[in-house]
Amino acid sequence: MRVRVEQTALPGIGVRHDLMTESGRRLGVVSHRNGRRDLVLYDPEDPDSCQHDIPLTDDEAEALADILGASLMLGQLSGLREQAAGLLTEQIAIPAGSKYVNKRLGDTKARARTSASIVAVLRQGTVNVSPDPTFRFEAGDVVVVVGTRQGLDGVTAILAETDPDV
């Protein structure tokens, strides 16, 4: 981990995790014993003073974590693209008319047919990383695929409304 996260016990309250951003801002998350979480932004002039406190419900905290996790993963995949010439990533939406809606990832045989790998599926703000062959697609899912241009085009064709091999 490149960022140092400080953990502080808050007796009777819970735990606070703080980190300093590269831009010099200090932010934290207070996890209360009752499950409530607060996103805390400290005053840049006084890093010990809270400037903003945003209470988050469980659903809001989970959605925020998913958003941050998805953007991090996609950023890492973009970095991977720069490291390996010819290796590409692409996000492909599954149309409502795809024969793979409500079907398992394994039913596509995408890797065997194209040599490209589906490394994640984005669904309504949730990231399913490394979905296994039993993962079932829904219309509107966005799959993240890694492979060559030819492989990505092949996965796109498979997930399209009409699979070219059917």
Side-chain angles (χ1 to χ4, degrees):
M1 180 181 291
R2 293 170 273 173
V3 176
R4 181 175 174 204
V5 177
E6 295 178 14
Q7 178 177 327
T8 305
L10 302 173
I13 298 173
V15 177
R16 185 181 75 211
H17 292 90
D18 294 327
L19 65 91
M20 185 68 76
T21 67
E22 190 173 305
S23 65
R25 294 299 305 263
R26 183 171 169 221
L27 61 96
V29 174
V30 176
S31 301
H32 295 259
R33 296 171 86 185
N34 65 4
R36 183 179 126 201
R37 290 172 197 85
D38 294 329
L39 183 62
V40 181
L41 185 60
Y42 295 94
D43 187 336
E45 302 299 320
D46 180 5
D48 292 326
S49 176
C50 175
Q51 188 176 44
H52 297 285
D53 177 17
I54 304 168
L56 300 172
T57 65
D58 287 347
D59 288 342
E60 293 165 340
E62 184 177 333
L64 182 60
D66 287 342
I67 291 166
L68 294 173
S71 65
L72 179 63
M73 183 191 72
L74 294 176
Q76 290 170 339
L77 289 174
S78 295
L80 180 62
R81 178 190 315 174
E82 294 170 4
Q83 294 174 13
L87 185 62
L88 305 170
T89 61
E90 196 160 275
Q91 296 182 37
I92 303 167
I94 297 181
S98 171
K99 72 172 270 189
Y100 293 105
V101 171
N102 298 320
K103 299 285 174 120
R104 298 175 310 156
L105 184 153
D107 295 336
T108 67
K109 298 183 175 36
R111 186 186 328 215
R113 294 165 61 189
T114 68
S115 297
S117 296
I118 295 173
V119 298
V121 178
L122 313 175
R123 178 182 295 162
Q124 299 175 347
T126 300
V127 179
N128 297 287
V129 178
S130 300
D132 68 37
T134 64
F135 182 89
R136 289 193 178 272
F137 292 119
E138 292 182 6
D141 281 353
V142 176
V143 297
V144 179
V145 185
V146 177
T148 62
R149 168 54 37 212
Q150 184 179 9
L152 299 180
D153 290 345
V155 173
T156 299
I158 289 170
L159 298 176
E161 294 181 15
T162 53
D163 184 338
D165 292 339
V166 175

